[in-house]
């Protein structure tokens, strides 16, 4: 295989570290291998002069006039003895069924590989080049061109004879021809021409830049990038030409196509071959370097194969490889050639004694390079993305190599995390990794990534990790117990290990909590509940709910409420069917403050459920929660009022006592307490308004008549309930009353307001009545349609006679009931104003009066 050295940009400092060079090294774009098998034997005895590449096979010409057909591995499949001298060129059509060969002695042969019939001619001058029409096999004219001192076109006419047409001559030897579709490009000593075979016109002439170079020593390289783009390499110059259609409105004498040079730039070395690679170019360089010893003598260096990105006036180097081909020290620029396979990105570097194949690196090669550079993470990512396309690598093996690399670097957490992704469902690999992490003392690192779903390791693996945590990390142990399903390991074994540790440290909260969780996994809920209550753990309520442990907490209600009264009460009230109210009250009888909390929340939820405890609640509210006593007395319909009054009077709760007295009907005593003990005239007035009792107002006025502040309050508030004149007449003369003027003004304003309100209401009522009267009048004045469909409400016969010519009388009422006049009672038996019999039986209103007779 050819040796390839990556040519990076050389630093002026030769002493840079190898590690830095590796970090800066870029991945090569191509990989190389020497074409062997039959080629090796051929080149030992002979030398390659030219080669043509087809997708299916290769055609190799030698200096001894032989042509060999080879498979892509280099094995000889067919041999032709063409001439005793050098084969100059071999050309194949697109189908690969016809070949054209020319040699230095002037022989030209064009024939089918499966039939030797064709063109065989000896010329009196060397023929340097031959090119078949790409569709030679399918075309009836069988066109091909030859190049020596002139360019000649050969085609078969209708008589099956070969006709010759000289396309160009007089500008030196033609050294290269490339035929693509209908375009023929050739190079001679002056430059490059392009000929359109469809219009029989030459469309351009591209002059070469460096005329000092000998065309025979530095021949022109041509390649078609596509059917309209020609790349020309000559010496150190590269030109990219685009063939375009000319605007038909231009001068008629010009060819229908023209050429535009879209890119032109110079290279550092001499060009020996060109090939397309997408929008990039592959260039084979012939390299001469100056000797370090003599400083003036040039020597032939190894050829270079570069990938470049063309720009309008320059190029960007993508990669550059120096190739160690056999006998490169003896080769000239003309001895090298570059051929490419259009169906596959394969490039063949031809030299007299060696043929090297360059191909684009595939994903396997990319992964090889990443692994060689120890870029394992990138290699793993590349393998995962392209797992369908890689052939020599396996994602899992790359992942294991990455894990090994991380362990060697001491990045144990990252390595453990990758295990989850890399090892997948392979339990054997998992167990091997666990034991390896145990050997290096890093079981904790891998613990959180162990499989715990449908696929699981042996219980002993999990128990081993739990014991490791139990020795040194109680918190980590507790975390694993919470995160791991309880059936991953032998629960009894782990419980026993925890109990052994608790013997040494019986008050360790972390271990006690973990032991409770283990008991829960083992369905020993009573033991777990006992520990949770001992620790006052927040999960005790969740445990009770989840596993229906209400029967176990009947004697632990006080403990639960001491821990969290709110949660405990909510739980007890939500589950009355499991723990009755009577049972809870019985348990809390010695803790009245807790009993009050429970009964208070019960009353809030339902005023009737705990009615038999309402009497007890009076004293509990009075003792622990007086602000809620009055709302309780208001809302409760089962509270004994006498007992409540007694308690409130004993504790001198005036507000509550006033409420109870008023509720018991002793409003005068209640009003007296407000005035004498609370001294609150506003509250007294409000109380009197609520009761709406004239005697209470009289008592209030009598009590207030000698108290000017009370009189002011009454004057300001009683205007709408009691006639203020009664109060004013009873005020003693010469009594000073604060804000009397303002109070009198307010009384007058209130009175005026009442008058205005009454007048406004009267106007509204009158207006509404008038509007409704007019509406009723309009309604009753409307005509009523009478037709044959109507019937008499008395006899139920049609209201209209069949013979309308006869005289008939119909009575229609405003209620829309209709009668034959004869069917109604006679006028002597009814009042003067008649009414509908039907409506009068129900109600007698304005709608039942007679409308028309």
């Amino acid at each position: 295989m050819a040796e390839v050295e990556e040519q990076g940009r050389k630093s002026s400092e030769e002493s840079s570290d190898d590690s830095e060079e590796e970090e800066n090294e870029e991945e090569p774009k191509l990989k190389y291998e020497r074409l062997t098998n039959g080629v090796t034997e051929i080149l030992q005895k002979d030398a390659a002069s030219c080669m043509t590449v087809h997708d299916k096979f290769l055609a190799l010409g030698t200096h001894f006039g032989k042509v060999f057909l080879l498979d892509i591995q280099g094995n000889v499949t067919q041999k032709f003895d063409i001439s005793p001298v050098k084969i100059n060129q071999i050309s194949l059509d697109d189908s690969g069924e016809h070949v054209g060969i020319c040699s230095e002695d002037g022989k030209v042969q064009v024939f089918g590989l499966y039939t030797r019939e064709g063109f065989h001619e000896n010329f009196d001058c060397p023929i340097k080049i031959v090119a078949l029409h790409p569709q030679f096999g399918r075309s009836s004219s069988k066109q091909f061109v030859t190049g020596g001192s002139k360019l000649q076109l050969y085609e078969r006419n209708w008589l099956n004879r070969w006709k010759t047409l000289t396309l160009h001559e007089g500008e030196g030897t033609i050294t290269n021809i490339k035929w693509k579709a209908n375009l023929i490009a050739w190079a001679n000593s002056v430059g490059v021409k392009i000929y359109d075979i469809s219009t029989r016109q030459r469309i351009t002439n591209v002059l070469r830049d460096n005329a000092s170079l000998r065309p025979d020593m530095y021949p022109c390289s041509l390649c078609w990038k596509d059917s309209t783009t020609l790349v020309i390499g000559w010496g150190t110059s590269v030109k990219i030409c685009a063939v375009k259609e000319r605007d038909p409105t231009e001068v008629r004498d010009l060819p229908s196509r023209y050429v535009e040079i879209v890119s032109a730039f110079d290279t550092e070395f001499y060009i020996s071959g060109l090939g397309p690679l997408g929008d990039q170019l592959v260039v084979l360089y012939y390299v001469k370097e100056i000797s370090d010893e003599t400083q003036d003598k040039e020597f032939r260096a190894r050829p270079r194969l570069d990938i470049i990105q063309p720009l309008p006036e320059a190029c960007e180097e993508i990669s550059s490889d120096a190739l160690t081909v056999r006998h490169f020290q003896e080769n000239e620029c003309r001895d090298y050639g570059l051929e490419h396979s259009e169906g596959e990105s394969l490039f063949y570097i031809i030299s007299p004694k060696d043929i090297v194949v360059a191909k684009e690196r595939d994903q396997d090669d990319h992964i090889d390079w990443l692994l060689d550079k120890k870029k394992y993470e990138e290699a793993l990512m590349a393998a995962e993305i392209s797992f369908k396309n890689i052939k020599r690598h396996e994602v899992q093996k790359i992942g294991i190599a990455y894990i090994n690399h991380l362990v060697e670097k001491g990045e144990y957490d990252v390595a453990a995390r990758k295990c989850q992704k890399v090892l997948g469902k392979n339990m054997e690999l998992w167990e091997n990794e666990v034991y390896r992490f145990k050997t290096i003392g890093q079981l904790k690192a891998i613990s959180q990534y162990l499989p715990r779903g449908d696929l699981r390791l042996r219980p002993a693996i999990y128990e081993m990790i739990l014991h490791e945590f139990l020795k040194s990390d109680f918190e980590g142990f507790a975390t694993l117990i919470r995160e791991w399903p309880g059936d991953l390991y032998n629960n009894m074994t782990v419980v026993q290990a925890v109990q052994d540790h608790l013997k040494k440290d019986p008050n360790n909260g972390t271990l006690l909590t973990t032991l409770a969780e283990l008991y829960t996994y083992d369905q020993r809920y009573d033991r777990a509940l006992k520990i949770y209550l001992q620790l006052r753990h927040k999960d005790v309520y969740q445990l009770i709910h989840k596993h229906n442990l209400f029967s176990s907490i009947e004697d632990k209600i006080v403990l639960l409420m001491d821990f969290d009264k709110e949660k405990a009460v909510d739980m007890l009230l939500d589950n009355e069917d499991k723990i009755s109210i009577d049972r809870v009250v019985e348990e809390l009888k010695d803790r009245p403050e807790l009993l009050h909390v429970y009964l208070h929340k019960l009353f809030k939820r339902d005023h009737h459920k705990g009615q038999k405890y309402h009497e007890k609640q009076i004293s509990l509210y009075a003792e622990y929660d007086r602000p809620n006593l009055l709302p309780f007395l208001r809302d409760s319909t089962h509270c004994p009022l006498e007992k409540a009054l007694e308690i409130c009077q004993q504790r001198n709760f005036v507000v509550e006592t006033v409420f109870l007295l008023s509720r018991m009907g002793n409003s005068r005593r209640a009003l007296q307490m407000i005035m004498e003990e609370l001294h609150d005239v506003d509250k007294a007035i409000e109380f009197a308004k609520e009761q709406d009792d004239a005697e209470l107002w009289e008592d209030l006025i009598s009590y207030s008549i000698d108290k000017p502040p009370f009189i002011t309050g009454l004057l300001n508030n009683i205007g709408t309930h009691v006639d203020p004149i009664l109060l004013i007449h009873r005020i003693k003369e010469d009594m000073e009353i604060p804000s009397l003027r303002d109070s009198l003004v307010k009384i007058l304003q209130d009175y005026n307001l009442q008058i205005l309100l009454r007048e406004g209401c009267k106007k509204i009522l009158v207006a509404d009545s008038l509007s409704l009267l007019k509406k009723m009048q309009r309604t009753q004045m409307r005509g009523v349609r009478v037709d044959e469909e109507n019937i008499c409400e008395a006899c139920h016969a049609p209201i209209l006679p069949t013979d309308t010519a006869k005289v008939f009388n119909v009575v229609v009422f405003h209620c829309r009931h209709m009668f034959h006049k004869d069917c109604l009672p006679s006028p002597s038996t009814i009042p003067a104003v008649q009414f509908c019999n039907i409506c009068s039986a129900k109600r007698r209103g304005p709608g039942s009066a007679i409308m028309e007779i």
Side-chain angles (χ1 to χ4, degrees):
M1 183 175 179
E3 297 176 16
V4 181
E5 293 184 1
E6 191 71 13
Q7 298 291 322
R9 295 181 177 177
K10 294 185 179 179
S11 174
S12 60
E13 297 181 1
E14 297 293 338
S15 59
S16 58
D17 295 333
D18 292 339
S19 61
E20 293 180 356
E21 290 179 1
E22 289 180 0
E23 290 176 359
N24 295 330
E25 186 178 1
E26 294 183 0
E27 181 181 1
K29 302 296 182 183
L30 302 172
K31 62 179 179 179
Y32 303 88
E33 62 182 7
R34 182 169 276 117
L35 195 61
T36 57
N37 298 323
V39 173
T40 303
E41 184 178 349
I42 293 170
L43 298 184
Q44 285 176 350
K45 303 175 182 179
D46 204 341
S49 61
C50 60
M51 192 172 83
T52 297
V53 177
H54 190 269
D55 292 344
K56 302 175 183 177
F57 61 92
L58 312 175
L60 174 65
T62 70
H63 281 266
F64 289 173
K66 307 290 192 297
V67 173
F68 297 91
L69 299 186
L70 314 168
D71 60 21
I72 57 175
Q73 282 80 32
N75 298 303
V76 177
T77 60
Q78 208 167 352
K79 176 184 174 183
F80 302 102
D81 289 320
I82 302 297
S83 170
V85 297
K86 174 184 173 184
I87 301 295
N88 284 331
Q89 181 63 35
I90 303 172
S91 177
L92 298 169
D93 65 352
D94 287 348
S95 66
E97 297 178 357
H98 294 82
V99 61
I101 304 170
C102 65
S103 59
E104 190 67 23
D105 59 358
K107 286 185 178 180
V108 176
Q109 295 189 19
V110 178
F111 55 87
L113 292 176
Y114 306 106
T115 61
R116 292 303 299 271
E117 297 180 1
F119 180 87
H120 300 272
E121 189 69 48
N122 292 324
F123 294 92
D124 56 0
C125 64
I127 300 300
K128 298 293 184 180
I129 202 81
V130 64
L132 302 186
H133 190 292
Q135 302 298 325
F136 183 90
R138 299 179 182 177
S139 172
S140 59
S141 59
K142 306 295 184 184
Q143 294 175 324
F144 68 92
V145 292
T146 61
S149 59
K150 55 186 175 182
L151 180 69
Q152 290 186 304
L153 171 66
Y154 293 85
E155 55 185 345
R156 183 173 285 172
N157 61 19
W158 64 278
L159 293 175
N160 207 25
R161 296 180 180 177
W162 291 101
K163 183 177 72 172
T164 305
L165 174 65
T166 300
L167 301 181
H168 186 73
E169 63 180 332
E171 292 185 355
T173 303
I174 294 171
T175 56
N176 200 348
I177 299 176
K178 293 295 180 183
W179 195 331
K180 186 75 171 180
N182 290 323
L183 298 176
I184 305 172
W186 72 91
N188 56 29
S189 302
V190 176
V192 176
K193 279 78 174 170
I194 299 177
Y195 185 82
D196 188 344
I197 194 71
S198 61
T199 61
R200 303 286 175 149
Q201 290 179 312
R202 195 173 73 185
I203 59 177
T204 191
N205 179 20
V206 182
L207 299 177
R208 67 172 178 152
D209 293 335
N210 192 348
S212 64
L213 295 176
R214 289 175 53 185
D216 59 329
M217 297 298 294
Y218 298 92
C220 177
S221 297
L222 300 174
C223 80
W224 285 100
K225 199 172 182 181
D226 54 48
S227 59
T228 59
T229 305
L230 177 68
V231 183
I232 304 170
W234 206 334
T236 58
S237 171
V238 176
K239 293 179 181 178
I240 301 178
C241 306
V243 179
K244 299 184 177 181
E245 296 290 337
R246 194 183 300 278
D247 188 344
T249 60
E250 294 185 21
V251 183
R252 295 181 180 178
D253 294 337
L254 295 176
S256 61
R257 295 183 177 184
Y258 69 97
V259 170
E260 179 182 338
I261 298 177
V262 296
S263 177
F265 52 88
D266 289 330
T267 61
E268 184 179 359
F269 306 107
Y270 297 109
I271 299 168
S272 293
L274 296 168
L277 182 62
D279 61 344
Q280 300 170 343
L281 289 178
V282 177
V283 185
L284 178 64
Y285 290 123
Y286 169 69
V287 181
K288 283 187 176 183
E289 294 182 352
I290 298 175
S291 173
D292 294 334
E293 297 177 357
T294 61
Q295 294 294 324
D296 58 353
K297 184 178 180 181
E298 289 186 339
F299 68 94
R300 298 163 185 165
R302 290 174 297 176
R304 279 179 36 171
L305 191 68
D306 286 12
I307 298 176
I308 62 173
Q309 178 66 57
L311 302 173
E313 297 181 357
C315 68
E316 179 184 351
E317 183 181 289
I318 306 301
S319 72
S320 179
D321 301 328
L323 309 179
T324 305
V325 299
R326 294 190 181 101
H327 304 292
F328 68 88
Q329 302 90 341
E330 303 172 5
N331 296 336
E332 297 286 350
C333 182
R334 63 184 178 184
D335 294 325
Y336 293 109
L338 180 67
E339 296 289 336
H340 71 278
S341 171
E342 295 185 1
E344 189 177 355
S345 295
L346 293 176
F347 299 89
Y348 294 83
I349 299 95
I350 303 106
S351 67
K353 289 296 183 180
D354 206 357
I355 298 175
V356 175
V357 184
K359 62 178 68 175
E360 277 194 288
R361 295 170 63 85
D362 57 19
Q363 201 65 15
D364 282 300
D365 301 314
H366 175 58
I367 293 171
D368 282 334
W369 186 84
L370 292 172
L371 293 175
D372 185 56
K373 300 301 177 184
K374 298 190 181 302
K375 298 181 179 181
Y376 292 96
E377 185 173 12
E378 295 178 32
L380 180 59
M381 187 181 301
E384 289 172 342
I385 294 173
S386 306
F387 71 96
K388 292 183 179 179
N389 299 324
I390 56 177
K391 299 175 182 177
R392 294 186 284 105
H393 293 92
E394 296 179 15
V395 175
Q396 193 172 68
K397 289 183 178 179
I398 297 172
I400 293 173
Y402 183 26
I403 293 171
N404 295 337
H405 173 69
L406 291 171
V407 170
E408 290 173 3
K409 290 174 62 178
E411 297 181 14
Y412 303 113
D413 290 337
V414 181
R417 186 167 62 250
K418 291 299 177 184
C419 287
Q420 194 173 30
K421 183 178 183 181
V422 171
L423 304 183
K425 300 179 181 180
N426 192 320
M427 297 299 107
E428 182 180 354
L429 290 178
W430 266 110
E431 294 194 3
N432 292 340
E433 286 300 321
V434 171
Y435 283 116
R436 180 167 73 157
F437 273 75
K438 179 186 179 183
T439 303
I440 60 179
Q442 294 294 329
L443 274 178
K444 292 182 181 179
I446 201 172
S447 61
Q448 58 182 318
Y449 304 108
L450 293 181
R452 60 186 78 168
D454 296 335
L455 296 174
R456 301 178 177 184
L457 307 178
R458 291 181 295 111
I461 300 294
Y462 301 101
E463 293 168 16
M464 176 178 67
I465 294 174
L466 289 173
H467 283 293
E468 182 70 22
F469 272 90
L470 196 55
K471 292 177 185 178
S472 57
D473 185 359
F474 292 154
E475 292 295 337
F477 174 75
T479 301
L480 290 183
I481 293 298
R482 282 194 297 271
E483 292 178 353
W484 285 1
D487 55 351
L488 284 180
Y489 45 83
N490 188 324
N491 200 61
M492 292 303 299
T493 303
V494 180
V495 167
Q496 187 60 49
V498 175
Q499 289 174 340
D500 291 343
H501 278 77
L502 283 172
K503 290 177 182 177
K504 305 172 187 177
D505 186 6
N507 296 321
N508 190 305
T510 302
L511 287 182
L512 285 170
T513 303
T514 307
L515 182 60
E517 292 174 358
L518 290 169
Y519 281 141
T520 302
Y521 295 149
D522 207 26
Q523 298 184 358
R524 290 186 281 179
Y525 304 119
D526 52 342
R527 296 191 180 187
L529 181 62
K530 182 178 178 181
I531 295 174
Y532 277 142
L533 288 173
Q534 176 187 342
L535 297 174
R536 298 190 171 216
H537 196 279
K538 61 182 178 62
D539 290 343
V540 65
Y541 299 103
Q542 182 182 352
L543 180 70
I544 294 169
H545 275 293
K546 186 175 181 179
H547 301 291
N548 197 20
L549 302 180
F550 296 99
S551 60
S552 302
I553 63 168
E554 289 185 349
D555 57 345
K556 300 179 179 63
I557 293 175
V558 175
L559 286 174
L560 288 168
M561 292 196 67
D562 281 336
F563 174 36
D564 190 329
K565 290 191 285 289
E566 296 297 325
K567 283 188 176 181
V569 171
D570 288 338
M571 180 187 69
L572 292 170
L573 293 177
D574 290 339
N575 297 275
E576 291 177 24
D577 56 328
K578 297 168 184 173
I579 302 180
S580 66
I581 297 172
D582 297 336
R583 176 64 177 172
V584 176
V585 172
E586 178 66 23
E587 286 294 317
L588 297 176
K589 66 181 179 180
D590 296 329
R591 296 289 300 276
E593 73 280 8
L594 299 179
L595 179 60
H596 165 67
V597 174
Y598 174 76
L599 290 176
H600 174 63
K601 281 211 166 187
L602 175 63
F603 181 74
K604 285 291 185 183
R605 289 198 179 192
D606 191 326
H607 294 344
H608 307 288
K609 276 191 176 179
Q611 61 185 19
K612 66 179 180 179
Y613 300 109
H614 284 195
E615 180 178 352
K616 187 174 185 63
Q617 280 186 269
I618 299 171
S619 58
L620 292 175
Y621 276 112
E623 181 68 27
Y624 302 107
D625 190 9
R626 184 187 171 185
N628 282 314
L629 175 57
L630 185 58
F632 171 74
L633 295 174
R634 284 199 183 102
D635 296 337
S636 173
T637 58
H638 307 286
C639 175
L641 300 180
E642 294 83 0
K643 179 68 175 177
L645 181 62
E646 179 185 348
I647 293 173
C648 291
Q649 288 177 338
Q650 287 175 356
R651 293 177 177 269
N652 197 28
F653 291 170
V654 178
V655 177
E656 291 81 358
T657 303
V658 168
F659 170 76
L660 290 169
L661 287 172
S662 66
R663 190 167 177 180
M664 295 171 69
N666 196 350
S667 301
R668 303 185 70 177
R669 173 60 184 150
L671 180 62
Q672 182 182 355
M673 288 190 69
I674 294 173
M675 294 186 295
E676 294 179 355
E677 297 190 27
L678 296 179
H679 303 288
D680 189 342
V681 65
D682 294 330
K683 193 169 186 67
I685 294 170
E686 186 66 30
F687 181 76
K689 289 180 180 179
E690 289 177 0
Q691 301 300 319
D692 196 20
D693 188 347
E695 293 183 0
L696 283 181
W697 283 110
E698 179 63 29
D699 291 344
L700 179 57
I701 293 171
S702 300
Y703 179 81
S704 305
I705 202 64
D706 58 349
K707 301 175 181 61
F710 274 52
I711 293 175
T712 302
L714 285 170
L715 289 173
N716 288 332
N717 290 283
I718 68 170
T720 57
H721 296 275
V722 179
D723 188 356
I725 301 299
L726 298 176
L727 175 61
I728 294 171
H729 282 311
R730 297 178 62 175
I731 298 174
K732 296 178 181 180
E733 294 183 4
D734 301 328
M735 178 180 286
E736 293 186 5
I737 299 173
S739 304
L740 176 60
R741 184 184 65 182
D742 296 338
S743 299
L744 293 175
V745 170
K746 185 175 185 306
I747 289 174
L748 294 174
Q749 288 176 343
D750 290 345
Y751 181 75
N752 288 333
L753 180 62
Q754 289 184 21
I755 296 300
L756 289 173
L757 287 173
R758 288 176 182 176
E759 290 179 354
C761 291
K762 181 180 178 181
K763 289 180 180 179
I764 293 171
L765 287 172
V766 171
D768 286 351
S769 299
L770 182 60
S771 174
L772 292 172
L773 181 61
K774 290 180 178 178
K775 183 177 180 180
M776 184 182 73
Q777 183 187 17
R778 286 196 304 271
T779 302
Q780 292 183 348
M781 291 296 291
R782 290 176 183 169
V784 178
R785 179 182 178 84
V786 180
D787 55 26
E788 61 274 4
E789 294 182 0
N790 298 111
I791 62 172
C792 173
E793 297 293 340
C795 66
H796 301 293
I799 198 71
L800 298 177
T802 55
D803 185 6
T804 56
K806 295 182 179 180
V807 178
F808 62 92
N809 294 313
V810 175
V811 178
V812 180
F813 292 91
H814 288 296
C815 59
R816 302 302 190 263
H817 288 136
M818 303 179 186
F819 298 88
H820 295 127
K821 186 175 182 181
D822 297 338
C823 294
L824 289 173
S826 62
S828 59
T829 61
I830 61 173
V833 179
Q834 294 183 352
F835 293 92
C836 172
N837 294 339
I838 297 172
C839 295
S840 298
K842 299 178 182 177
R843 55 180 172 79
R844 185 163 182 157
S848 60
I850 191 169
M851 183 177 180
E852 182 180 350
I853 299 178

